[in-house]
Amino acid sequence: MEKFVINGKTRLEGEVIINGAKNAAVAILPATLLVNGICTIENLPNISDINIYCDILRTLGVKITKTAPNTVVVDTRDVNYIDAPLDMTSKFRASYYLIGALLGRCKRAVVGMPGGCKLGARPIDQHAKAFECLGAKVDIGQGKIVATTDGLVGNSIYLDIVSVGATINAILASVLAEGTTTIENVAKEPHIVDVANFLNTMGADIHGAGTDIIKINGVKELHGGTYSIVPDQIEAGTFMLAAVATRGDITIKNCITKHLDVLSAKIEEMGAHVEEISGDTLRVWCDKKPKCVNIKTLPYPGFPTDLQSQMGIVLATADGTSIVTESIWESRFQYTAELNKMGAKINAQGNVAFFDGVPELYGRPVSASDLRAGAALIIAGIAANGVTEVSNIEYIDRGYENIEDKFKALGADIKRVTE
Ligand code: EPU
């Protein structure tokens, strides 16, 4: 087991380069199954969720060659479909994208019930609804999902809930379906647009990604090509909040500043500063105690749930009481108990937490309950007095490439230690 040992208290300063978006990458890799050819994927983050995905695709006959640190060539011409290995697919959440992709390519998908970070109930009823609308039969039970079809046919799909995963899965299943599909009440996150852009680059006919309605005209086949994954807005936001939490000064390169507007506005509301240096570079700095602010997590373009815990670190030492409402996941305040061990005063009740700002945090042993909570606790350790040990860091490795090297380059004293 590995853990991070962090010697605080450091003001972070310098530049950081953002990698490709995890949540786009975990959809684009399985989307290559819809292509009968060779795709070159650039800006692929080097994280454990991607490594597992590559291993799963290899078991299906996909040839994947790494040609540069963040580039792979994916050859899907010889997919010999066998059911995806249940033990591997149940290790992480995004394995559910294999269902849409395999239904489209092979008319059958068997995938283990998706695992992943423990954020509370994570139903997939909207995914099943979309597949059924397109003419698939979906059975969920005994730890797996079995979806089969004689041939998918375009239809109107109205999602009951705005869901990232169901929106992407509905797109994947529609691309090669016969006729036209419209999907309403869809998610609009940048990674939805990125998946649609990838598929369109390979010959799909998808319109409206990034708006409330997506229309897909089914095509006979997709061809190979080259695609570069969008920068990770959550990784960028994590470093923006690290700058504020440590009263530091960080220049964030290779991000799409527009995707971060909601966070930039909150950072300025707190009295810290955001300067757009160019469309892909932001500077964030904080020279005084931030003011309290209220946050409610919402689907894009609202405040992202995936930045709620990192923002919580800032609010823990802000001036006054902040109220945070988590409206996407039911168990995303587990980090607040860890932060209270470090001297914070946070009272979490159901989906609302009250943060009474304290003067300082103190280093303690803490444990990551999920990927974003883990990143948040690293920031807390860097901002705190004394030594913080963060355990369960395998969650962090799922979604952040070289996180300790990036923090070290900004001045943090952080070490990965094997227990
Ligand atoms: N929901 C349903 N039924 C469904 C699908 C979702 O009720 O069929 C509910 C969920 O329970 C949740 C809400 O709808 O309350 C939104 O869930 P969504 O489907 O949008 O989440 P997801 O696709 O499972 C992705 C990201 C998460 C991120 C959420 C919200 C991936 C692989 N995961 O999850 O990322 O929090 O969207 O933006 O894309 C992370 O990166 O740390 C992470 C957890």
Side-chain angles (χ1 to χ4, degrees):
M1 296 294 271
E2 291 181 321
K3 63 182 177 185
F4 285 129
V5 178
I6 303 159
N7 205 347
K9 141 183 197 166
T10 308
R11 176 174 190 269
L12 295 177
E13 275 182 296
E15 287 181 1
V16 63
I17 297 176
I18 300 306
N19 283 104
K22 162 194 164 266
N23 287 343
V26 293
I28 287 173
L29 266 187
T32 61
L33 285 168
L34 294 165
V35 176
N36 192 357
I38 299 176
C39 299
T40 300
I41 313 287
E42 298 170 344
N43 208 26
L44 189 72
N46 197 356
I47 52 177
S48 66
D49 271 8
I50 291 299
N51 297 337
I52 300 172
Y53 233 129
C54 289
D55 290 343
I56 293 172
L57 291 175
R58 287 189 181 103
T59 69
L60 301 175
V62 178
K63 293 190 188 73
I64 303 179
T65 317
K66 198 168 191 167
T67 55
N70 295 97
T71 303
V72 291
V73 174
V74 184
D75 181 348
T76 50
R77 287 173 299 179
D78 290 325
V79 168
N80 348 309
Y81 177 69
I82 50 161
D83 297 352
L86 296 187
D87 56 333
M88 290 168 90
T89 49
S90 56
K91 272 190 188 152
F92 68 128
R93 184 75 187 158
S95 58
Y96 52 37
Y97 293 134
L98 287 167
I99 310 172
L102 285 172
L103 265 182
R105 170 121 186 193
C106 310
K107 300 187 179 170
R108 173 182 158 87
V110 180
V111 173
M113 272 313 270
C117 291
K118 310 225 169 351
L119 308 174
R122 298 185 76 171
I124 54 163
D125 55 301
Q126 297 303 304
H127 301 239
K129 174 179 175 174
F131 299 139
E132 283 164 355
C133 280
L134 296 169
K137 181 171 177 301
V138 183
D139 286 316
I140 302 177
Q142 295 175 329
K144 61 185 179 189
I145 303 146
V146 181
T148 50
T149 180
D150 294 332
L152 297 172
V153 180
N155 201 350
S156 299
I157 303 170
Y158 195 101
L159 297 176
D160 301 333
I161 288 173
V162 177
S163 156
V164 169
T167 301
I168 292 179
N169 244 337
I171 295 174
L172 294 177
S174 307
V175 162
L176 298 178
E178 192 189 321
T180 298
T181 298
T182 51
I183 319 168
E184 293 191 58
N185 196 30
V186 293
K188 294 179 277 204
E189 271 69 3
H191 33 290
I192 307 278
V193 179
D194 209 42
V195 173
N197 286 345
F198 163 76
L199 290 164
N200 282 343
T201 304
M202 306 304 154
D205 189 2
I206 305 168
H207 303 264
T211 72
D212 291 313
I213 305 180
I214 296 176
K215 184 174 166 194
I216 299 143
N217 297 312
V219 295
K220 287 261 175 294
E221 59 179 11
L222 300 184
H223 51 73
T226 298
Y227 191 77
S228 182
I229 290 177
V230 72
D232 196 317
Q233 121 236 33
I234 302 301
E235 189 195 8
T238 300
F239 283 100
M240 289 168 75
L241 289 165
V244 184
T246 64
R247 317 291 182 253
D249 187 341
I250 303 181
T251 298
I252 291 134
K253 294 187 152 179
N254 189 36
C255 61
I256 296 183
T257 58
K258 178 88 196 115
H259 294 166
L260 294 153
D261 280 353
V262 65
L263 180 61
S264 298
K266 272 292 159 195
I267 288 177
E268 287 182 335
E269 195 182 323
M270 288 189 284
H273 312 280
V274 181
E275 181 189 358
E276 184 171 334
I277 293 174
S278 69
D280 72 353
T281 305
L282 278 179
R283 176 181 165 218
V284 180
W285 74 102
C286 179
D287 38 26
K288 57 179 185 295
K289 198 173 178 57
K291 286 183 260 183
C292 54
V293 290
N294 296 336
I295 301 286
K296 181 172 187 182
T297 64
L298 288 169
Y300 188 84
F303 192 93
T305 173
D306 294 344
L307 289 173
Q308 187 256 106
S309 39
Q310 301 89 315
M311 175 59 102
I313 306 306
V314 175
L315 301 182
T317 60
D319 193 15
T321 300
S322 307
I323 304 172
V324 176
T325 308
E326 171 56 53
S327 53
I328 310 291
W329 300 119
E330 58 190 29
S331 306
R332 233 182 184 171
F333 282 133
Q334 294 171 74
Y335 73 96
T336 60
E338 302 303 293
L339 213 46
N340 283 345
K341 290 181 196 163
M342 298 177 73
K345 275 198 190 156
I346 308 163
N347 180 6
Q349 298 168 2
N351 74 331
V352 181
F354 299 85
F355 288 68
D356 283 330
V358 294
E360 297 211 84
L361 297 175
Y362 297 93
R364 295 281 181 271
V366 288
S367 170
S369 53
D370 68 70
L371 162 63
R372 308 303 172 186
L377 291 172
I378 292 179
I379 300 172
I382 296 169
N385 280 299
V387 178
T388 297
E389 292 184 5
V390 183
S391 56
N392 268 351
I393 64 172
E394 58 280 7
Y395 280 122
I396 306 172
D397 292 333
R398 300 179 84 122
Y400 288 92
E401 177 172 336
N402 283 337
I403 193 163
E404 70 265 42
D405 291 340
K406 289 186 179 184
F407 276 121
K408 266 185 212 158
L410 295 169
D413 179 350
I414 172 169
K415 275 194 302 245
R416 184 182 287 257
V417 172
T418 305
E419 289 184 281

